[in-house]
Amino acid sequence: MGPVQEISQWPKVSKFAVSACAASVAELVTFPLDLTKTRLQIQGEYAPEKLSKSGTVNTVYRGMLSTAVGIVREEGPLKLWQGATPAIYRHIVYSGGRMLAYEQLRDFVLGKSEDGSFPLWKAAFGGMVSGALGQFLASPTDLVKVQMQMEGKRRLEGKPPRRVHGVIHGFVKIAKEGGIRGLWAGWVPNVQRAALVNLGDLTTYDSVKHILLRNTSIEDNCLCHGLASTCSGLVAAMMGTPADVVKTRIMNQPLDSNGRGLLYKSSIDCLVQSVRAEGLRTLYKGFVPTWLRMAPWSMTFWLTFEQIRHAVGISSF
């Protein structure tokens, strides 16, 4: 039985569910690193400030480890998972959608070569399109997640009462202040980031996996999946971090009475302001925790994804 015939026996909803389950496991395991990355990306914009002896304002910068330890010490260990609930909701929509879209594009729309391989340019196109589509649908959950992740920091800075008290409250509050369009605030850099991340993640994993299977003695097993996922996590982090910084800052900025951002007019404006004020290095703020998160996230996701597919009888990705 050929791979396309085998895949076609499984309804799309089953493959969507497998992707969502694998992504939920990976998200819970690595979420503290995502929270740390988000806090690091906000630093320099309006980070915690303290007055020096001379009366001037100094910004307190922290590294990855210090930020994580600070969250545990100042807010409590469970706050490392603050915002995990909308993150799970996000990945049910995002990962389920992107994986299903990519596989449909690969197997039925773009088509494989005569030897069964999937050309790199097709993999890149499929990865970017599926990532952008999945992220656009999931953007409201990402917005709530970012705002929930920043609540502990806002409280420590003595800022106004909490903006978000929970997932449902977050959706209702954002929609009330900015309308339905407000739920998609920051969707442009969000989609740009997702397209770049999936260009790195899906394209790299799919390409490396099948290169290993065609050109080495490695079989389609956990070793193959682990090697391919290690490569995909690194490439995804390198390509997605700049857009991730812009996305985080736009989503975390305060809004006026009309739901418009008070700090940035657009993703380009945020990019220009950030680079002008903090230099090019600001675009890779949070890169280390992003990579350290994407590496185990990618490995956890792909290993879980492939094992669930194998367990329920769906062909290997």
Side-chain angles (χ1 to χ4, degrees):
M1 180 180 294
V4 174
Q5 292 177 315
E6 186 176 357
I7 291 172
S8 65
Q9 291 182 354
W10 283 87
K12 296 178 178 62
V13 67
S14 299
K15 292 158 71 175
F16 181 96
V18 169
S19 302
C21 288
S24 297
V25 172
E27 189 70 12
L28 284 173
V29 170
T30 63
F31 191 80
L33 284 169
D34 183 64
L35 178 65
T36 303
K37 172 214 65 173
T38 300
R39 296 287 182 91
L40 283 171
Q41 289 173 339
I42 295 300
Q43 288 186 12
E45 180 187 39
Y46 47 95
E49 295 174 338
K50 293 183 179 179
L51 289 176
S52 67
K53 294 181 179 179
S54 62
T56 59
V57 177
N58 293 327
T59 302
V60 179
Y61 288 92
R62 288 175 170 173
M64 180 190 68
L65 183 59
S66 297
T67 298
V69 172
I71 292 171
V72 172
R73 184 176 61 250
E74 298 163 4
E75 304 171 43
L78 291 181
K79 292 301 181 180
L80 288 172
W81 278 269
Q82 184 167 277
T85 301
I88 295 298
Y89 293 163
R90 169 185 179 263
H91 270 288
I92 290 175
V93 178
Y94 169 62
S95 288
R98 73 182 179 112
M99 296 303 295
L100 180 61
Y102 181 81
E103 201 163 354
Q104 293 299 306
L105 284 170
R106 183 188 67 181
D107 295 331
F108 301 110
V109 179
L110 297 175
K112 297 182 178 180
S113 300
E114 294 181 359
D115 61 356
S117 63
F118 195 51
L120 181 60
W121 73 267
K122 289 186 178 181
F125 178 78
M128 293 186 71
V129 170
S130 59
L133 175 62
Q135 186 55 63
F136 177 77
L137 296 175
S139 194
T141 58
D142 212 15
L143 177 61
V144 174
K145 181 196 78 169
V146 168
Q147 295 199 0
M148 287 183 68
Q149 286 178 326
M150 297 307 299
E151 286 303 330
K153 178 173 178 284
R154 286 172 57 83
R155 185 174 65 254
L156 291 174
E157 292 173 355
K159 290 187 175 179
R162 296 178 64 178
R163 295 179 297 181
V164 180
H165 296 278
V167 179
I168 302 301
H169 175 260
F171 284 122
V172 173
K173 182 175 183 294
I174 292 170
K176 186 178 296 185
E177 292 178 350
I180 297 300
R181 290 180 60 185
L183 291 170
W184 271 266
W187 74 268
V188 173
N190 222 359
V191 167
Q192 291 169 343
R193 173 191 176 273
L196 292 171
V197 167
N198 280 275
L199 173 61
D201 183 31
L202 281 171
T203 304
T204 302
Y205 180 83
D206 200 14
S207 300
V208 170
K209 174 185 173 181
H210 290 94
I211 287 173
L212 290 173
L213 292 176
R214 287 195 304 269
N215 300 292
T216 71
S217 59
I218 297 177
E219 298 180 354
D220 192 357
N221 53 26
C222 290
L223 174 60
C224 177
H225 305 156
L227 291 173
S229 62
T230 299
C231 295
S232 67
L234 176 60
V235 176
M238 292 174 63
M239 301 193 70
T241 299
D244 195 34
V245 171
V246 173
K247 177 213 75 170
T248 299
R249 292 189 170 197
I250 286 182
M251 286 188 161
N252 187 62
Q253 69 176 324
L255 305 176
D256 63 17
S257 58
N258 295 317
R260 292 191 293 265
L262 295 175
L263 299 178
Y264 312 113
K265 298 177 182 177
S266 64
S267 58
I268 298 299
D269 181 50
C270 178
L271 175 68
V272 171
Q273 285 196 47
S274 298
V275 172
R276 183 178 296 163
E278 304 164 58
L280 286 172
R281 291 181 60 184
T282 192
L283 297 180
Y284 276 88
K285 277 187 174 180
F287 172 77
V288 173
T290 296
W291 175 49
L292 290 179
R293 178 178 187 252
M294 279 191 172
W297 194 100
S298 183
M299 181 169 290
T300 302
F301 170 77
W302 286 111
L303 289 175
T304 305
F305 179 66
E306 295 276 21
Q307 290 304 307
I308 293 177
R309 288 175 70 104
H310 177 72
V312 300
I314 302 178
S315 62
S316 174
F317 184 79

